[in-house]
Amino acid sequence: MRRPGLPWLLPLFLAACSTRCGETRVEGLAPEGWITLVRAPAEGPETPLQAPAGREGDVGTAHPLLLAAHDPAGRWVILCQPREDTNGDGRVEARVGINGPMSGDDVDPYLIFGSGAGQRIDQYVAHAGPHVAVIRDGKLVIVDVEARTETLLPRAEVTDNNDPYEPHRTAVFDAAGKTLGYLAKKGERTIAIVRDLEAGVETEVDPGPGRLWRIALPGDGSSIVMHAAVADTNGDGILGWPIPETSVGRRRCRKSGGHGLYPGETDTLVTRIVSLATGRMTRVPRIEAALGDRWIVREEAPEKSPAALFLVSAEGIARPFVSAACDGDLVYLDHGRKLALVACQNGAVRFRNEPERTRVELHGEDFHLPLGVYVQDPRFYTKKVGTGSVVLLRSVNPEEGNADPPDVLVDLEHHGVLHPFPEGARALSAYDRYALYVSAENKLVLRDRSLGVDSVLRPSERNVHMEQVERFAHSGSEVFDLERGVVGEVSLFYAMVLTTDGWALGVPHASEDKLPERNELWRGPLRWEKPKPEPYYGRFGSW
C-alpha cells in the first residue's frame, strides 16, 4: 500500500541546461593541433569459414571447463579446458587457485561455433555485433560469423599487459560491431589503426608523443581515444603503464576470485581524442564513458573536490552535462536515447540509522531531471535490466525518508517516470512490459506494467537473483520472456548462458547431479536447450 507523502506522483519537470551549444571551458581539456590521417584499403587475407554446426550436438569435450566468453546471440562460445595429460599424473584435470589461476594440466581456450570441440586459440580479445576478435598462433584474427569469414591482421601488436581490471589491449570494437580499432607496429612505435569493417578501409592514427597504452571507440566510431604514457615519473628508465601489482591470476583462462592489490608509482599518462573525420587532436582529462557519439569527461579538480561532467565531441567541443554541484557518478547509460542515470555524491543524506545515500538524477544532452529518490550505493543497488526502456533501482528512499526502502523501475522512454514495487518486495528482473518480483510474503509475482496487473506464479519463492539477457531472464531451469509474459523450462541441471533468442547453454543432467566444490570446475560437454512452455496461473504460454 502506497503511503501518503511519497513523491512518486509529484509532477515531474525538465530543467533546461544552462548552456545549450557552443564551446565551454573545461579544466584539463586543451587542443593539440591536427594530425594527418592515412587511409588505405584494409589489409589482411580473408578466409571463408566452414558452415557452423547447429545447436544439436555437444559443446566442448568431456573435460573440466570454464566459460571464458560467449556471443549474446549464441553463435559462438569460448571454453577453457584441459584436454591432455600435460603433467604426467595419468589423468586430465584442472583446479582453481585462490586468486583465480588454474593448476593441474594445461588449460587452453577453444572457440566453438554452435557446437563441437572447437578450435584452439591463444586468447579471447573482444566482440561486438557479428564479430569476435581472438589471438591465434600469435596473430590477431577477426571472425565475422554472419559473413562466415575470418581475417588475419598481421600488423597487429598482440602484446598484453595482464591488467586485472581491463580486457586485452590489442583491439576494441565500437558498440555496433561495425568499426574495429587495433594496435599495430610502425617502425619502433605503436600506432592505432581504425578499420571500417563494412567499407573495408583502414585509417592509421598517430597517437602523438609517448608510448601508446590503450585505445577506445565511441558508439558510432567517429573518433578514437588513446591513452599514452608521456613522462618517466617514477624514474625507472622506461615509459610504463599504470598496472597495479596484484595477486590475481593471469587473464588467460582465469576464473574470478579474491586478490590483493598493491598500487605503485606510475608514469604520467595523457588521454587524447582524435576526430576520424578531420584529424583534430584534443587532450582531455579523465574519460568516464562514451555516450552515443560523445565522450563523458570529468574535469580536473583537486582531490576530494566536486567535479563537473561534460559531453565532448570528436572535434573536442565540450558541453555541460552534470554540474559540480552534483559531483556525479554514472549509474546507467542509455546510448540510444543518450541518457544517463547519475548518483550525486554531493549532498548525500542519512535516513534513520541507515548508511549514507546519494540522490539520483536523469541527465540528457539538453536537460536534467531530479528523480526525488536516494540510493545507498549505486554500484550494488542498480540493476541493468536488459536493453529495454527500464532500469531497476533497489532499496530506494524517497526524499521524505519516512518509508521502508522499496525497489523502483525508472522508465527512460518516458524521461524518468518511477514505478515502485509493493512495500517489502524484492524486484528480480524487468523489461519493457513485464517485471518479476518476490513479494513480502515470498510469492513469485509477474507484473504486467501496461495493465497494472500482478499474477502469482508460485506461492513460495526463495530465489532472490536472476540473470537477464535483453527480454529473457532465467533462474535454475526456468526462463521468463518479459516481453510476452511467457514462462519456459529447460531440461538442464545448470544453465550458464542465456541467448537473445531465448535458448540456454549449460550442464545437462547426469546420473548423479552434483555442484562442483569451490576449487573445482564444471565438467563438459555442455548442451543447448530450447525452453518448453510451462503452465502458470491456469494457462499455457507458447514459447
Side-chain angles (χ1 to χ4, degrees):
M1 179 176 179
R2 194 172 296 162
R3 300 189 179 187
L6 294 181
W8 311 121
L9 298 180
L10 290 178
L12 301 178
F13 62 91
L14 300 182
C17 270
S18 58
T19 304
R20 293 182 56 89
C21 57
E23 197 161 356
T24 302
R25 176 175 172 78
V26 180
E27 290 296 329
L29 187 148
E32 291 198 348
W34 281 262
I35 63 171
T36 301
L37 301 173
V38 181
R39 291 187 171 90
E43 296 182 1
E46 189 176 273
T47 305
L49 291 175
Q50 293 183 348
R55 293 175 173 174
E56 295 77 21
D58 290 341
V59 181
T61 59
H63 299 100
L65 64 85
L66 177 68
L67 178 66
H70 70 277
D71 175 27
R75 295 166 293 193
W76 56 266
V77 297
I78 294 178
L79 298 181
C80 288
Q81 290 192 281
R83 296 186 177 179
E84 297 178 6
D85 177 20
T86 57
N87 62 7
D89 64 355
R91 57 182 181 177
V92 179
E93 199 63 68
R95 290 180 173 268
V96 183
I98 189 172
N99 294 319
M102 298 294 175
S103 62
D105 294 311
D106 292 344
V107 178
D108 296 312
Y110 294 85
L111 176 59
I112 302 169
F113 298 102
S115 59
Q119 57 177 269
R120 184 190 175 281
I121 59 174
D122 298 343
Q123 287 202 58
Y124 160 78
V125 178
H127 76 271
H131 298 97
V132 56
V134 299
I135 297 173
R136 188 180 65 211
D137 299 327
K139 303 292 184 182
L140 181 64
V141 178
I142 309 300
V143 179
D144 186 332
V145 293
E146 288 184 354
R148 296 181 182 176
T149 60
E150 67 175 32
T151 304
L152 179 68
L153 302 180
R155 295 178 60 193
E157 181 195 335
V158 298
T159 305
D160 192 18
N161 55 9
N162 199 43
D163 188 328
Y165 306 110
E166 299 288 346
H168 202 290
R169 61 183 284 269
T170 293
V172 295
F173 291 100
D174 69 345
K178 296 180 179 180
T179 307
L180 169 76
Y182 67 96
L183 305 179
K185 280 292 188 182
K186 188 172 186 179
E188 297 298 318
R189 301 191 69 220
T190 298
I191 63 169
I193 295 180
V194 179
R195 184 184 186 106
D196 187 324
L197 296 169
E198 294 183 337
V201 176
E202 287 189 337
T203 303
E204 287 189 7
V205 185
D206 190 302
R211 183 186 178 203
L212 184 57
W213 175 39
R214 286 188 172 275
I215 59 175
L217 296 173
D220 66 343
S222 61
S223 63
I224 183 172
V225 160
M226 296 181 288
H227 306 278
V230 296
D232 182 18
T233 312
N234 59 13
D236 62 358
I238 61 172
L239 292 178
W241 298 317
I243 308 303
E245 296 180 9
T246 175
S247 58
V248 73
R250 295 190 63 81
R251 180 187 297 112
R252 186 177 185 270
C253 290
R254 177 186 69 203
K255 188 173 182 179
S256 60
H259 59 272
L261 178 64
Y262 315 99
E265 293 185 34
T266 60
D267 290 332
T268 300
L269 279 179
V270 299
T271 300
R272 302 180 176 106
I273 297 175
V274 174
S275 167
L276 295 176
T278 65
R280 179 175 179 176
M281 177 180 286
T282 306
R283 180 171 175 170
V284 297
R286 174 178 163 183
I287 287 183
E288 297 288 339
L291 184 62
D293 59 350
R294 308 288 182 90
W295 296 96
I296 302 177
V297 173
R298 187 179 298 274
E299 68 176 345
E300 288 183 351
E303 189 175 358
K304 297 184 179 180
S305 297
L309 298 177
F310 294 84
L311 286 176
V312 179
S313 71
E315 302 298 329
I317 298 175
R319 297 177 62 181
F321 189 54
V322 181
S323 70
C326 169
D327 193 25
D329 284 342
L330 300 177
V331 173
Y332 180 82
L333 298 175
D334 185 325
H335 295 279
R337 299 176 180 87
K338 296 184 179 180
L339 298 174
L341 278 179
V342 177
C344 296
Q345 301 300 322
N346 205 13
V349 299
R350 290 182 184 273
F351 297 109
R352 298 184 294 254
N353 296 320
E354 295 179 350
E356 194 174 70
R357 291 173 177 266
T358 55
R359 73 179 186 275
V360 181
E361 298 182 349
L362 182 64
H363 286 257
E365 287 187 287
D366 297 313
F367 75 91
H368 76 269
L369 174 67
L371 297 182
V373 295
Y374 291 79
V375 175
Q376 182 175 324
D377 189 334
R379 294 172 299 173
F380 302 110
Y381 290 89
T382 303
K383 186 173 183 180
K384 302 176 182 180
V385 284
T387 57
S389 63
V390 292
V391 177
L392 174 63
L393 292 180
R394 288 188 160 158
S395 189
V396 171
N397 272 101
E399 285 183 321
E400 287 87 347
N402 61 352
D404 293 330
D407 294 347
V408 301
L409 291 176
V410 183
D411 190 334
L412 300 179
E413 185 176 0
H414 298 95
H415 288 101
V417 174
L418 302 180
H419 301 271
F421 286 89
E423 186 174 327
R426 291 297 291 166
L428 299 178
S429 230
Y431 199 67
D432 288 348
R433 178 172 178 179
Y434 289 95
L436 283 166
Y437 70 88
V438 177
S439 70
E441 299 81 21
N442 287 326
K443 298 177 181 179
L444 180 63
V445 181
L446 181 71
R447 166 171 286 189
D448 187 330
R449 297 198 303 118
S450 63
L451 300 177
V453 175
D454 286 1
S455 304
V456 176
L457 301 186
R458 264 197 299 276
S460 178
E461 177 68 27
R462 295 182 179 181
N463 176 57
V464 293
H465 177 73
M466 282 196 178
E467 298 291 338
Q468 183 167 349
V469 178
E470 295 193 3
R471 74 178 205 250
F472 296 102
H474 84 97
S475 173
S477 62
E478 288 182 314
V479 180
F480 302 86
D481 185 337
L482 297 178
E483 187 175 88
R484 298 185 296 145
V486 176
V487 185
E489 185 173 19
V490 292
S491 56
L492 294 170
F493 174 53
Y494 180 78
M496 290 184 174
V497 169
L498 186 65
T499 66
T500 53
D501 59 356
W503 281 65
L505 173 68
V507 180
H509 286 283
S511 56
E512 182 182 357
D513 289 337
K514 180 185 176 184
L515 293 171
E517 299 292 336
R518 185 173 181 179
N519 64 339
E520 293 179 339
L521 298 172
W522 288 101
R523 182 169 288 272
L526 304 179
R527 297 285 297 190
W528 287 104
E529 290 286 347
K530 184 177 182 180
K532 298 177 176 62
E534 183 181 75
Y536 64 100
Y537 56 89
R539 70 180 179 90
F540 275 87
S542 60
W543 195 258

